[in-house]
Amino acid sequence: MSSDNHQNGLPSALRRKLLMGMAALPAAALLPKAAFAQAPATSAVNTTGLAVTDTTVRVGILHSVTGTMAISETGSVQAEKLAISQINEMGGVLGRKIEFIQEDGASDWPNFAEKAKKLLVNDKAAAVFGCWTSASRKAVLPVFEQYNGMLYYPTFYEGLEQSKNVIYTGQEATQQILSGIDWVVKEKKAKSFYLLGSDYIWPRTSNKIARKHIEKNSLKVVGEEYFPLGHTQFNSVINKIKLTKPDVIYAIIVGGSNVAFYKQMKAAGIDLSKQTLVTISVTEDEILGIGGENIAGAYACMKYFQSLDNSNNKDFVAAFKKMWGENIVIGDVTQAAYLGPWLWKLTVEKAGSFDIDKVAAASPGIEFGKAPEGYVRIHENHHLWSKTRVGKAKLDGQYEVIYETADLMEPDPFPKGYQ
């Protein structure tokens, strides 16, 4: 399955800007397609049996497009296909067109592992762009390490992990959890928190880190509860929130459950213009299902919002809407997923090879100046330097950016005292 049918989806203005602005791209990418015969020999750039020919290279896309996580992961698939289409328009990778095989993780962690093995062993994918939940990432990690594949993982996550075989394009805990709590304590004088989450590794580990940070600052956790994925009955915990009156509801519920949670909070009379709520899991993608009227006033701590006012993002949003529809929305993880194919292209061309070990070794220091979030750089620990931002949800389903760090934050997946 390839992205041929979308190759004309890139506006000419964006194409011109990309062609002019990406000095990191090799000259081969700017040549007419007839010149691709000069691309390096396959025997030189593929010594380990990956699916690379003289004209094509195969990659995998692995996300949930069915099940409770589809509301969150569909945007990642769209972003990765957009990036692949744009890269192909510019001449591909080392003169080779990217072809992709897409698999559905179906919101089932063992299924993710099975599909990852297929992509690496049967399909010989040179890279895989995929996963969303930490449960799915943990399920596939042993597969990527055993079969020496390369995963580009787009979701903000709890940290406490580092692998030669993964590039983490979302934020880790110090860039999101700790900085978000610091912001709400400073700006809202918050002293008490009610922690909520879905019942799997990312929310539980994230809230463990959040609790440590809250208590280190002599603040108080007045409640902590978890719910199965797909859970839709939140009235009991909403009543507890009303009784305990926390300064901050700290909500990291994921997927479709968010729709029920925010609608039921509003129905119960919780006014988010008066009750501070901070989320690190609700992007514009989820708000599309929740409805802006049910979440307006909530705060989100992430590195990207669709409303970011910079030229990179304006071009990205325009191209995304042209490919996927004018009414589409773009969230944090969707943008981080878009980074994956670009970072892989830049790394392969720095390494001069598709070989996984060479790509892993070449990854630190790779810069992407056309990132919609502004600019990113891969750290030696395979995470990204990036800014942290806080957005306030509006009625129209977008976030107003009200805070951002002055500088890029160095990723630290193993923060001292939080392990």
Side-chain angles (χ1 to χ4, degrees):
M1 181 180 184
S2 75
S3 54
D4 285 351
N5 57 326
H6 293 309
Q7 287 207 10
N8 294 320
L10 181 61
S12 59
L14 173 56
R15 187 159 59 247
R16 286 197 299 274
K17 286 192 177 184
L18 285 168
L19 290 171
M20 293 170 60
M22 294 196 61
L25 291 176
L30 308 182
L31 294 176
K33 289 181 170 59
F36 287 164
Q38 299 172 13
T42 301
S43 59
V45 300
N46 177 32
T47 69
T48 59
L50 298 171
V52 180
T53 71
D54 290 346
T55 58
T56 64
V57 55
R58 182 185 299 154
V59 302
I61 292 176
L62 177 57
H63 291 286
S64 299
V65 293
T66 58
T68 190
M69 292 309 303
I71 186 176
S72 300
E73 297 192 55
T74 298
S76 297
V77 175
Q78 293 169 330
E80 288 153 4
K81 290 180 179 178
L82 171 61
I84 288 169
S85 173
Q86 292 174 334
I87 291 167
N88 281 341
E89 281 215 2
M90 297 178 66
V93 184
L94 291 181
R96 289 158 173 85
K97 177 184 175 182
I98 304 171
E99 296 181 340
F100 64 80
I101 293 178
Q102 182 180 341
E103 296 291 348
D104 182 9
S107 306
D108 176 74
W109 321 143
N111 192 56
F112 267 93
E114 179 185 325
K115 297 296 187 181
K117 183 176 179 181
K118 173 191 176 292
L119 287 168
L120 296 181
V121 176
N122 296 357
D123 301 320
K124 308 292 185 185
V128 176
F129 308 100
C131 299
W132 200 101
T133 67
S134 285
S136 63
R137 189 193 69 256
K138 290 289 189 186
V140 306
L141 182 59
V143 178
F144 278 87
E145 292 183 338
Q146 178 180 353
Y147 296 103
N148 200 28
M150 183 61 79
L151 172 68
Y152 287 77
Y153 175 67
T155 315
F156 40 74
Y157 85 116
E158 69 278 1
L160 309 180
E161 183 180 294
Q162 182 178 333
S163 174
K164 181 202 87 172
N165 298 91
V166 183
I167 301 295
Y168 306 81
T169 65
Q171 292 179 298
E172 45 71 42
T174 66
Q175 296 170 314
Q176 187 185 34
I177 300 169
L178 304 187
S179 55
I181 290 171
D182 288 344
W183 175 84
V184 77
V185 169
K186 179 181 177 183
E187 295 299 322
K188 301 294 182 180
K189 313 301 180 193
K191 295 181 179 178
S192 62
F193 293 75
Y194 204 116
L195 309 181
L196 301 171
S198 296
D199 194 5
Y200 71 98
I201 183 171
W202 175 66
R204 283 191 174 272
T205 307
S206 295
N207 275 345
K208 181 180 177 183
I209 292 168
R211 179 184 277 272
K212 280 189 177 182
H213 197 58
I214 289 163
E215 292 175 348
K216 271 189 177 184
N217 285 280
S218 301
L219 308 172
K220 191 175 181 181
V221 175
V222 297
E224 182 172 355
E225 295 198 36
Y226 298 91
F227 311 92
L229 285 169
H231 187 74
T232 59
Q233 298 298 323
F234 293 97
N235 290 322
S236 177
V237 73
I238 289 169
N239 287 334
K240 292 177 185 177
I241 289 169
K242 292 174 78 171
L243 287 170
T244 53
K245 295 182 173 61
D247 293 334
V248 178
I249 302 170
Y250 192 75
I252 50 178
I253 295 162
V254 306
S257 294
N258 280 301
V259 177
F261 176 65
Y262 287 95
K263 286 184 176 180
Q264 288 167 23
M265 275 209 304
K266 183 176 183 184
I270 293 180
D271 183 350
L272 296 182
S273 68
K274 299 174 181 176
Q275 167 66 64
T276 300
L277 182 145
V278 175
T279 179
I280 57 171
S281 63
V282 175
T283 74
E284 292 87 337
D285 292 295
E286 287 80 17
I287 293 179
L288 199 60
I290 293 166
E293 70 278 7
N294 296 308
I295 196 172
Y299 298 96
C301 182
M302 295 168 182
K303 66 174 181 172
Y304 173 85
F305 298 102
Q306 183 181 320
S307 59
L308 279 182
D309 187 15
N310 67 61
S311 59
N312 290 357
N313 189 48
K314 289 175 181 175
D315 292 341
F316 168 63
V317 171
F320 199 94
K321 284 177 175 287
K322 181 161 187 177
M323 177 177 276
W324 299 110
E326 194 58 35
N327 294 325
I328 204 81
V329 297
I330 306 166
D332 179 277
V333 184
T334 298
Q335 190 265 169
Y338 175 78
L339 302 179
W342 283 107
L343 292 170
W344 173 68
K345 170 188 168 63
L346 294 168
T347 310
V348 166
E349 292 177 343
K350 174 186 173 185
S353 174
F354 293 100
D355 292 355
I356 302 299
D357 289 345
K358 292 176 182 176
V359 171
S363 291
I366 290 292
E367 302 172 296
F368 185 35
K370 293 296 293 183
E373 66 186 82
Y375 164 87
V376 295
R377 183 168 75 251
I378 302 178
H379 193 279
E380 289 180 2
N381 59 32
H382 280 199
H383 294 69
L384 299 188
W385 293 76
S386 62
K387 289 190 173 186
T388 293
R389 298 177 169 96
V390 174
K392 187 174 184 179
K394 301 191 300 177
L395 282 170
D396 65 1
Q398 289 293 307
Y399 283 102
E400 177 189 1
V401 181
I402 60 172
Y403 167 80
E404 69 175 37
T405 53
D407 302 309
L408 297 176
M409 291 189 70
E410 181 176 7
D412 180 9
F414 297 97
K416 189 175 180 180
Y418 292 89
Q419 298 175 36

